[in-house]
Amino acid sequence: MTLREFSPTQPVILGFDPGRDKCGMAVIGLDRQIHYHQVVIANEAIATIETLRQQFPISLMVMGDQTTAKQWKKRLLQELVEPLNIVLIDERYTTLEARDRYWQMYPPKGLTKLLPQGMRQPPRPIDDIVAILLIERYLNRLAESVNS
């Protein structure tokens, strides 16, 4: 997905699904509007984050807490020009959820429609959709703490 022409005035959240080879990224407003989502090569992640920060008023990063999270958090804090607040979010089951979300965002066409949803494999990596889900989990957690 390409960057939109306008830039939101409200702070946005950067979702980051870190990985060894590729990373998912998403930028979502507090209104849950998706402004950007993309899967990038891990070596390009820091540069991509810096570019996104120039285009969006990113207030914080929400990052998955699994396999490579500790190394990535350390690397981000060392290499980003300006440090970002990073919140770790439980990312269990996000890959399964992301597969379902992929088909909601991009409904199957042709013969793929005939397959049961559980048997469909998205035709591309879905790490960016995991990043979207991480932000949604964070926002849901915020909403729950406000409402309780």
Side-chain angles (χ1 to χ4, degrees), residues 39-108:
V39 178
V40 299
I41 297 166
N43 294 342
E44 296 172 6
I46 303 275
T48 303
I49 291 167
E50 295 291 7
T51 301
L52 290 172
R53 289 178 85 179
Q54 291 168 10
Q55 295 176 298
F56 296 101
I58 293 170
S59 59
L60 110 123
M61 175 188 284
V62 172
M63 183 168 82
D65 65 354
Q66 296 295 303
T67 324
T68 59
K70 282 193 179 95
Q71 300 99 300
W72 267 107
K73 186 171 183 178
K74 185 178 171 189
R75 187 173 162 196
L76 289 165
L77 293 172
Q78 288 172 344
E79 295 182 33
L80 286 174
V81 175
E82 287 178 45
L84 248 179
N85 285 334
I86 299 172
V87 175
L88 294 179
I89 295 291
D90 180 1
E91 66 173 293
R92 281 178 293 188
Y93 312 114
T94 50
T95 304
L96 289 172
E97 279 182 51
R99 194 183 312 165
D100 289 343
R101 178 68 63 87
Y102 176 87
W103 294 115
Q104 287 171 11
M105 293 169 73
Y106 307 100

